[in-house]
Amino acid sequence: MLILLSNDDGVFAPGLKALHACVSADHECVVVAPDRDRSGASSSLTLDRPLRWAEQDNGFTSINGTPTDCVHLALNGLLDESPEMVMSGINLGANLGDDVLYSGTVAAALEGRFLSRPALALSLCSRSTVHLSTAQHVISEMMKNIEQLVLPSRSILNINIPDLPLNQLKGMLLTRLGHRARAARPVRVTDPRGNEGYWISVVGKGEDAGEGTDFHAVKAGYVSVTPLRIDKTHYDAFSDVENWLGDMQ
């Protein structure tokens, strides 16, 4: 089948190259990715300027926009043929728990929610490329059975692969999203010209990270596989909000 590949680390990222290498062995792939690192872009769209594309020497297409821009354009006019599914990654760095709120990797997959097959967001839990081959093996194994994966419409799978040699992986686990503690305070800085600013600091550690969560699975040496959905409606809060609204009528 035809698969659209994208990411948030940029069109020349080693993880994207590795993803293309393992998926294109058995499927036709087209790559549309940001022209630079757009980590943390979430599902933002560029609405204040035109987006432009360029064909790179590696055969990939770059867009001067966000991961969501890339997939949106690819699925709505840039490509001659519509892909059957979207795969985003391989991100260098985990996307666990609350990370999915900010992740450009997850956002690129989410933009593929209208297609006939579920989208995959793929992350290696490391900033290093040492164990990219482990991630490639996991992805190749998943793709062997991808035809049997049937999920409700507008679903994606968020997949996090431990930073381990292949022979140390313990397997795969179906998980839920954990939750992080509050992030560290931004770091105030002053540049050489005396202008003040802030660096966003590191994410919080796993707070809800017990058994069954993606945090726990990865820490224990398992690949975490978490189904995500677009509907963020908090159904359990309906009665509380209904009572509150009733008090105002």
Side-chain angles (χ1 to χ4, degrees):
M1 62 180 151
L2 178 61
I3 300 175
L4 171 64
L5 307 182
S6 193
N7 72 348
D8 70 353
D9 286 341
V11 71
F12 299 113
L16 183 61
K17 180 180 178 181
L19 178 62
H20 182 267
C22 67
V23 177
S24 63
D26 296 305
H27 301 277
E28 183 181 358
C29 294
V30 60
V31 180
V32 182
D35 61 359
R36 55 192 171 91
D37 189 340
R38 294 305 303 266
S39 297
S42 188
S43 290
S44 58
L45 284 170
T46 301
L47 304 177
D48 60 349
R49 59 177 172 82
L51 293 166
R52 307 190 188 282
W53 69 94
E55 299 300 322
Q56 303 298 328
D57 292 340
N58 59 5
F60 298 172
T61 299
S62 65
I63 301 287
N64 63 336
T66 68
T68 301
D69 288 331
C70 293
V71 177
H72 185 82
L73 288 180
L75 299 183
N76 295 286
L78 186 64
L79 302 181
D80 295 330
E81 183 181 354
S82 180
E84 292 184 52
M85 70 179 295
V86 171
M87 299 178 70
S88 177
I90 303 167
N91 191 64
L92 292 184
N95 279 302
L96 301 166
D98 302 314
D99 298 344
V100 302
L101 299 173
Y102 310 103
S103 169
T105 303
V106 175
L110 288 172
E111 194 63 16
R113 64 191 180 274
F114 300 107
L115 299 182
S116 58
R117 298 188 182 278
L120 307 182
L122 304 149
S123 302
L124 177 65
C125 298
S126 173
R127 298 295 181 186
S128 168
T129 61
V130 172
H131 296 129
L132 262 177
S133 59
T134 299
Q136 287 180 300
H137 177 83
V138 169
I139 294 165
S140 295
E141 288 300 303
M142 288 182 168
M143 292 305 292
K144 289 179 181 178
N145 296 315
I146 198 66
E147 300 282 354
Q148 283 70 52
L149 177 62
V150 179
L151 292 176
S153 62
R154 304 189 182 189
S155 299
I156 79 162
L157 293 183
N158 185 43
I159 299 163
N160 283 273
I161 302 160
D163 181 32
L164 294 171
L166 180 59
N167 62 6
Q168 293 182 24
L169 273 188
K170 294 184 178 178
M172 303 183 191
L173 287 178
L174 177 63
T175 60
R176 67 172 177 87
L177 293 178
H179 295 286
R180 292 190 182 276
R182 190 170 181 173
R185 293 173 61 87
V187 178
R188 191 167 182 170
V189 295
T190 304
D191 70 20
R193 292 178 175 80
N195 300 309
E196 294 187 334
Y198 287 93
W199 277 105
I200 296 295
S201 193
V202 296
V203 298
K205 295 183 178 180
E207 187 173 56
D208 173 15
E211 189 171 353
T213 67
D214 47 3
F215 286 100
H216 187 271
V218 168
K219 186 176 181 180
Y222 292 89
V223 176
S224 73
V225 181
T226 308
L228 303 181
R229 63 181 180 182
I230 303 300
D231 185 357
K232 295 182 180 179
T233 306
H234 193 349
Y235 295 101
D236 291 341
F238 267 44
S239 60
D240 294 325
V241 176
E242 186 176 39
N243 291 337
W244 175 67
L245 292 174
D247 292 338
M248 292 186 285
Q249 293 176 358

